[in-house]
Amino acid sequence: MTTKHVLVTGAGGFIGHHLVNHLVGKGYRVRGADIKRPEYSETEAHEFLVADLRDAGHCAAATDGIDDVYHLAADMGGIGYITGNHAVVARNNTIMNIAMLDAAKDAGVGRFLYSSTACVYPHHLQTSPDAVPLREDDAWPAQPEEGYGLEKLFTEKMCEYYGADHGIGMRVVRFHNVYGPLGTYDGGREKVPAAICRKLAGIADGGEIEIWGDGRQTRSFMYVDDCVEGIHRIMESGYAAPLNLGTDELLTIDELVDIVAETAGKTVRKRHDVSKPQGVRGRNSDNSRLRQVLGWEPSCGFRQGIVPTYAWIAAQVNAGRAPAGRPRALEKAG
Ligand code: NAD
């Protein structure tokens, strides 16, 4: 059997870095591409291209000789970052996604997996903490997260069109909050589990941390090992329509804080700041279709996955590592 050549974009980022190592372990020949190299640990990719994928020439170099593309690169971050940078985020991702689809078509790529997000789901279905789990079909009629979510929903449709018109085997995966070691934990792009781990690692027992919102907003969280396993299974599934990839273990943010505090062996005082962005009120994943398509779903509970995550972030904080030196916002094209 000949070795498949695969491209992982966003290979310098959190999920992409883990995915590269997972695919290398499975015997693929892996090329990583990103505007920056991984910040916290060396890549295992056979080749790593430092490339700005808003540039068509860089996309052509990245896709040359590639069988399958896992397109994870995106200008993204936690709720503060994506709600504070609508224009830059939507612009960067639109340019990059169209350039990548064109390059995949021109290079004769067989399969293309696009990393979408639960932020595509309509606001009006997410107004209560008792979130009714979101089914794939709920995305339309649309009322997604401004900027980041709207762009993802548009690119989902572009994937459908490129698949139909150009014969590329498309996969569209809607991730629900992913966490784990080697993820951004400071600098403004971190997401809630990493931010809470960092805050708890930085206080003494009995100390106080700030929590965005009233703490009663809800989410589900997926450990990164489940995420990369799911990504590969979806690529192999032959299923072209959007699929949720997440857990359906719903937690309030206060419950999440309590679990991290328990993991850290600390008691904590919570100071809620309702002036800070908190996103939708409640969001959960309906995994019925995922189970139907794959006969599998993520299984790592938050209490289990947060143990290695907290240990890694606490080690970074205790070692006094400088804030992640990534570009704040990718403002210039080319
Ligand atoms: P990340 O920010 O760690 O990784 C994204 C990577 O894309 C970064 O390394 C960044 O440098 C790279 N990138 C951005 N602009 C680029 C450009 N112009 N050219 C080349 N590379 C560029 O994020 P992540 O958490 O690993 O997310 C990966 C994918 O999953 C993204 O598409 C994201 O939208 C999606 N997603 C993630 C989550 C989550 O909880 N982490 C949830 C939903 C969706």
Side-chain angles (χ1 to χ4, degrees):
M1 200 180 85
T2 54
T3 306
K4 270 207 159 191
H5 289 227
V6 304
L7 168 69
V8 176
T9 73
F14 168 46
I15 303 172
H17 178 66
H18 283 274
L19 181 63
V20 162
N21 299 350
H22 184 76
L23 295 173
V24 168
K26 287 201 168 292
Y28 292 94
R29 169 96 195 163
V30 182
R31 179 184 297 155
D34 200 297
I35 203 162
K36 62 164 182 66
R37 296 187 71 87
E39 285 159 47
Y40 310 117
S41 130
E42 233 345 286
T43 182
E44 290 174 22
H46 300 98
E47 297 168 66
F48 194 98
L49 211 59
V50 176
D52 185 342
L53 299 173
R54 293 168 300 182
D55 180 296
H58 289 192
C59 292
T63 51
D64 185 37
I66 290 295
D67 300 303
D68 296 342
V69 172
Y70 294 85
H71 180 39
L72 272 69
D75 187 2
M76 66 91 68
I79 192 70
Y81 180 76
I82 63 171
T83 56
N85 296 282
H86 287 149
V88 167
V89 166
R91 170 189 182 280
N92 285 335
N93 291 335
T94 307
I95 295 171
M96 173 160 49
N97 291 331
I98 302 295
M100 275 301 301
L101 283 168
D102 272 340
K105 166 177 73 73
D106 294 344
V109 160
R111 306 188 294 186
F112 186 103
L113 181 143
Y114 175 59
S115 57
S116 186
T117 169
C119 292
V120 300
Y121 286 114
H123 271 271
H124 63 85
L125 297 180
Q126 304 177 79
T127 53
S128 160
D130 309 318
V132 175
L134 294 158
R135 289 173 297 113
E136 285 78 358
D137 295 343
D138 290 332
W140 298 93
Q143 190 195 9
E145 180 77 44
E146 287 288 342
Y148 173 74
L150 178 62
E151 193 285 330
K152 288 278 190 190
L153 194 58
F154 167 71
T155 299
E156 285 192 0
K157 288 307 271 186
M158 290 301 282
C159 289
E160 182 187 319
Y161 304 150
Y162 271 63
D165 292 359
H166 303 301
I168 307 170
M170 287 296 175
R171 311 283 183 268
V172 176
V173 189
R174 293 180 184 153
F175 300 147
H176 291 248
N177 302 298
V178 187
Y179 69 98
L182 307 178
T184 303
Y185 64 92
D186 60 9
R189 288 190 188 235
E190 64 278 18
K191 304 190 116 196
V192 64
I196 298 298
C197 286
R198 185 198 70 233
K199 289 177 185 181
L200 266 152
I203 58 160
D205 188 20
E208 181 179 276
I209 64 168
E210 180 189 81
I211 295 162
W212 289 12
D214 65 3
R216 293 197 291 271
Q217 67 273 38
T218 54
R219 296 290 186 278
S220 68
F221 300 91
M222 167 170 53
Y223 189 58
V224 68
D225 286 1
D226 274 340
C227 180
V228 297
E229 174 73 30
I231 291 172
H232 182 246
R233 284 175 183 257
I234 291 170
M235 180 63 107
E236 293 305 309
S237 71
Y239 189 81
L243 263 185
N244 283 331
L245 183 57
T247 73
D248 51 13
E249 179 192 10
L250 194 67
L251 296 174
T252 67
I253 298 306
D254 277 351
E255 285 168 340
L256 176 148
V257 174
D258 291 340
I259 295 171
V260 180
E262 236 173 80
T263 308
K266 295 179 182 177
T267 54
V268 64
R269 281 175 293 119
K270 306 179 186 103
R271 180 167 42 84
H272 295 105
D273 185 346
V274 293
S275 71
K276 291 281 169 48
Q278 54 175 298
V280 293
R281 197 68 186 132
R283 175 182 290 157
N284 200 1
S285 176
D286 183 322
N287 284 352
S288 311
R289 191 171 294 171
L290 185 72
R291 283 191 292 269
Q292 196 186 340
V293 171
L294 298 184
W296 175 93
E297 68 186 306
S299 60
C300 181
F302 189 73
R303 276 183 189 280
Q304 187 188 347
I306 203 64
V307 173
T309 310
Y310 180 78
W312 181 79
I313 293 174
Q316 309 306 302
V317 171
N318 293 333
R321 299 252 154 80
R326 65 175 59 207
R328 298 289 309 154
L330 303 165
E331 286 178 12
K332 280 193 250 130

